[in-house]
Amino acid sequence: MNILKFKHYIPVVLAALCLSSCVDTVLLPDDKTVDEDFWKTKSDVSSMVMGAYQSMCSSNVIKSLIVWGDFRSDELVPVTSLSTSNATVNALTQIDAVNVETTNAFAAWAPIYKVINNCNIVLDRAESVMSVDPSYTQGDYLSDRSQMLALRALCYFYLVRNFRDVPYSGHAYMKSSEEMNIPQVNPDSILNVCIADLKEAELNALDPTSYNDWRSKGLINRDAIDAILADIYLWRASVLHSASDYQECVNYCDKVIASKQANHQPQRGELTTKEYPLADGDEAYNDLFIDQNAEESIFELQFDGNSNSNLGLTEMFSTYNDKNSATTGFVRASSIFGSRGSGAAVFSQNGDYRVLEDCYNVLTDASSYDVRKMIATESWNIGNPVNVTAGQKRSARLVSNGVSQNYIFYRLSDVMLMKAEAMTQLAADDNDIILREAFNLVQAVNSRSIYEGSLSSDSLRWASYNTKTNMETLVLNERLRELCFEGKRWYDLMRYNYRHVEGIDYSTTLYNQEQQGKNFVNNYTNMLNLVVRKYTSGAQAAAAKMRTEPYLYMPVIQSEIDVNSNLRQNPAYSSNDEYEKNY
């Protein structure tokens, strides 16, 4: 790939927000450096903006995103052959057993708060540079501010979806002596702030056509902001059963789709312009995960494989324990990705290229499969996936050194399916024209991945999905097929759960609800059944352990509570009897 990566920017020592009684002095430059010798030039600001993005690239962040978004769902299982003396293996084993301790490594939110604090530093300091460096213009500042507001909002959105009740700070912590005993805030308040920040960011956002290199996908532009807004509105609509929020989701999805359509550059030889600029199934893997920064991509973290290598991704999916000889990552795809053509499997369509591109050896009958998506170094490059036999084409995969594989947050098919999900919920009844429009979006995503020769017999049929219930299931299933292992599934399942339960109160913390004597809402049985279908044994016991809403979220890691007297533990984890107290 001939693209510029983060390594070309001036390296800086960045501040970190670790929610403890004071800031970690090891990570902070001293106050004199920050306030007197820095923030003098446009390049100072640029390096800090790039530094905020790069802090999101840390292996701890990427591994957390995979565990939070994929591993907690039905997609992934732990590799059972690994030693439980390994801290990561132990943490994953706890999560898999739904027996998460408050010392679990993946309950740490500090890596995300580090990104937030880096954004806050830019937001606090960048404006003053205009008065000392005339080359740093108002337009430059507004563009930088837009990106940092959006990146901060994205981080808080991840925290809300994984911890629910979290501390909020828009203040930059620069001094090691600063006290940081911040209490948690209810999720509704934080989402409101995120929406307001994103709407401000949209006003001065980078145009999606501002760059024709990696920056068109590596910097948060207007399309990325609109995608985040659509995602937040879809989440909140599902929790609150809000028709107005579903409509806002549709509106922002429409903005992204229209932008992608308007900016589509027809490839040489393209005879007709596609309704949606999605690569054909036999080209999509190469475009998205090998060439990277594809036309259909919206926002992805950039890795160069040198000073900035995506170790988190490879350690989870490919090779974890050394840089050359390891043969497995920490996790594998569950058995639901096997048995192609079976109605119970993820891929019931034989002609779907994604069957082959997502996992290795899925045509064999196994209990789990190595993840292939983002790990394989080449596409299948085969004309007809229907005729592929078991054991064919086990291509080379990434090892844990020199990994330049980007991490995608949003792409067009994701947005199209978000819109389909929202429209399904907006439909007044079965056979509503809105349902047909939602179906058409799903069909467009699905059909681009189906071998052309099998479309007539191996495609979705409207007659099978013309009810709200069937369309909801179709969208959920298509998102799994299209976006597996991309950090989406657990949140899809949580939205599915919230839509089917009553009495959720997002305006107060779980701790306060417990203090008020409120009973926690039971989770939706159908959602729990999906989550636990990956287990070869003990599925119902696992489902019983996540019976109520608090169990959808991670605990607050004990080390944070020890130093911050204002933090309150998620009630699901506050006693040794945690699996008996809420149901």
Side-chain angles (χ1 to χ4, degrees):
M1 291 178 293
N2 183 24
I3 57 175
L4 183 64
K5 296 285 189 172
F6 288 138
K7 66 177 182 177
H8 296 289
Y9 285 85
I10 301 171
V12 294
V13 180
L14 296 170
L17 173 57
C18 302
L19 282 180
S20 54
S21 60
C22 61
V23 183
D24 185 348
T25 57
V26 175
L27 296 173
L28 280 171
D30 61 62
D31 302 332
K32 177 176 170 56
T33 299
V34 171
D35 291 332
E36 296 179 18
D37 298 336
F38 206 71
W39 303 107
K40 299 296 185 183
T41 67
K42 179 178 180 178
S43 65
D44 288 343
V45 181
S46 295
S47 66
M48 290 300 288
V49 169
M50 291 300 105
Y53 283 109
Q54 187 150 1
S55 61
M56 194 76 169
C57 295
S58 80
S59 61
N60 285 336
V61 170
I62 298 301
K63 286 193 286 189
S64 292
L65 297 183
I66 292 170
V67 171
W68 295 345
D70 295 310
F71 184 72
R72 297 193 72 202
S73 76
D74 52 353
E75 287 187 348
L76 297 173
V77 294
V79 174
T80 56
S81 61
L82 305 181
S83 171
T84 54
S85 63
N86 180 286
T88 299
V89 173
N90 185 52
L92 292 172
T93 301
Q94 289 180 20
I95 295 171
D96 185 61
V98 198
N99 190 25
V100 184
E101 298 177 5
T102 58
T103 55
N104 191 285
F106 293 105
W109 56 29
I112 299 294
Y113 276 107
K114 175 179 180 178
V115 183
I116 289 170
N117 198 52
N118 291 336
C119 294
N120 285 339
I121 292 171
V122 176
L123 292 169
D124 276 8
R125 297 291 194 271
E127 186 174 17
S128 64
V129 176
M130 287 188 290
S131 63
V132 292
D133 183 358
S135 70
Y136 187 61
T137 66
Q138 179 81 2
D140 294 328
Y141 165 68
L142 292 176
S143 173
D144 290 338
R145 179 175 174 80
S146 170
Q147 294 174 66
M148 295 298 95
L149 285 172
L151 184 58
R152 184 178 70 182
L154 179 62
C155 288
Y156 274 118
F157 186 36
Y158 271 104
L159 290 172
V160 165
R161 287 181 293 177
N162 288 288
F163 297 93
R164 192 186 191 276
D165 311 322
V166 297
Y168 181 87
S169 176
H171 168 66
Y173 288 86
M174 307 293 293
K175 297 179 180 179
S176 59
S177 58
E178 283 190 79
E179 292 294 322
M180 301 175 62
N181 292 327
I182 308 172
Q184 288 133 303
V185 184
N186 68 71
D188 194 50
S189 296
I190 292 180
L191 293 181
N192 284 334
V193 173
C194 291
I195 289 170
D197 282 350
L198 288 162
K199 287 184 175 180
E200 179 188 339
E202 187 189 32
L203 296 174
N204 299 292
L206 285 169
D207 189 280
T209 63
S210 296
Y211 300 102
N212 58 9
D213 56 16
W214 68 269
R215 290 171 292 185
S216 67
K217 307 300 186 294
L219 303 182
I220 296 180
N221 58 34
R222 186 176 59 249
D223 285 352
I225 292 168
D226 290 339
I228 301 169
L229 276 164
D231 207 359
I232 292 177
Y233 275 118
L234 183 60
W235 177 270
R236 197 172 71 173
S238 302
V239 174
L240 304 180
H241 302 182
S242 167
S244 61
D245 280 350
Y246 280 125
Q247 186 58 56
E248 285 297 315
C249 172
V250 171
N251 294 343
Y252 282 104
C253 287
D254 281 342
K255 287 186 177 185
V256 177
I257 293 169
S259 174
K260 286 294 189 182
Q261 290 170 326
N263 296 322
H264 173 54
Q265 298 294 321
Q267 297 178 359
R268 184 178 302 173
E270 186 175 310
L271 299 179
T272 58
T273 302
K274 301 174 184 177
E275 182 177 5
Y276 303 103
L278 300 171
D280 293 333
D282 58 348
E283 300 174 349
Y285 186 88
N286 194 76
D287 282 0
L288 286 163
F289 305 115
I290 296 179
D291 289 345
Q292 306 187 92
N293 295 308
E295 180 182 17
E296 65 187 85
S297 181
I298 295 170
F299 174 50
E300 52 192 85
L301 288 178
Q302 308 289 307
F303 292 86
D304 64 14
N306 295 307
S307 60
N308 181 31
S309 190
N310 197 346
L311 298 180
L313 181 76
T314 52
E315 287 178 4
M316 294 304 292
F317 290 148
S318 183
T319 55
Y320 87 93
N321 60 351
D322 62 46
K323 297 183 182 299
N324 298 300
S325 62
T327 58
T328 182
F330 286 114
V331 299
R332 305 184 78 203
S334 72
S335 61
I336 67 173
F337 290 91
S339 306
R340 180 176 66 161
S342 164
V346 171
F347 293 100
S348 58
Q349 298 165 281
N350 285 311
D352 199 323
Y353 287 100
R354 296 171 297 187
V355 176
L356 307 173
E357 301 288 20
D358 289 345
C359 300
Y360 288 106
N361 293 347
V362 292
L363 304 186
T364 60
D365 184 15
S367 60
S368 60
Y369 306 88
D370 286 349
V371 172
R372 187 182 189 281
K373 180 187 278 189
M374 298 176 285
I375 296 302
T377 57
E378 59 184 352
S379 173
W380 264 85
N381 227 4
I382 190 167
N384 183 357
V386 177
N387 297 329
V388 174
T389 58
Q392 262 189 286
K393 185 88 172 183
R394 184 178 176 84
S395 63
R397 61 182 181 179
L398 298 172
V399 293
S400 298
N401 59 327
V403 179
S404 59
Q405 178 63 57
N406 292 349
Y407 188 86
I408 299 176
F409 284 92
Y410 294 101
R411 51 192 181 95
L412 178 57
S413 56
D414 181 8
V415 172
M416 292 167 64
L417 293 173
M418 280 196 274
K419 180 181 176 182
E421 183 176 326
M423 293 182 74
T424 298
Q425 299 308 311
L426 286 170
D429 49 39
D430 296 346
N431 285 304
D432 192 316
I433 186 63
I434 297 178
L435 282 182
R436 183 57 191 257
E437 293 175 18
F439 174 81
N440 291 344
L441 285 163
V442 177
Q443 189 178 53
V445 172
N446 182 271
S447 61
R448 76 86 168 253
S449 295
I450 306 299
Y451 171 59
E452 186 174 337
S454 66
L455 275 175
S456 60
S457 60
D458 199 19
S459 57
L460 303 181
R461 306 293 182 186
W462 162 242
S464 301
Y465 301 103
N466 58 4
T467 68
K468 288 190 68 169
T469 298
N470 289 348
M471 267 305 302
E472 181 180 40
T473 301
L474 175 64
V475 175
L476 190 65
N477 289 342
E478 188 62 30
R479 285 186 63 82
L480 175 57
R481 288 188 284 266
E482 177 69 11
L483 302 166
C484 60
F485 320 129
E486 296 182 48
K488 304 287 182 178
R489 178 64 172 174
W490 178 243
Y491 311 127
D492 292 352
L493 291 172
M494 287 183 73
R495 291 196 308 274
Y496 179 54
N497 175 75
Y498 275 128
R499 286 198 295 270
H500 291 275
V501 299
E502 300 289 342
I504 295 295
D505 186 356
Y506 241 37
S507 66
T508 186
T509 66
L510 292 174
Y511 175 80
N512 286 339
Q513 290 179 43
E514 182 185 48
Q515 294 301 298
Q516 295 163 12
K518 292 184 178 179
N519 292 323
F520 294 119
V521 174
N522 285 337
N523 292 320
Y524 184 41
T525 300
N526 288 0
M527 183 278 265
L528 295 178
N529 288 340
L530 287 175
V531 174
V532 302
R533 62 180 177 161
K534 68 180 181 180
Y535 294 100
T536 56
S537 64
Q540 290 311 306
K545 291 179 181 180
M546 56 181 90
R547 185 73 66 189
T548 56
E549 185 194 9
Y551 295 99
L552 297 177
Y553 298 94
M554 296 293 289
V556 180
I557 198 165
Q558 187 61 42
S559 59
E560 301 287 4
I561 293 177
D562 290 342
V563 294
N564 184 348
S565 60
N566 285 315
L567 291 180
R568 299 290 181 262
Q569 185 58 269
N570 179 333
Y573 308 94
S574 59
S575 79
N576 292 330
D577 300 323
E578 57 199 60
Y579 298 125
E580 299 176 1
K581 67 182 295 183
N582 287 322
Y583 63 92

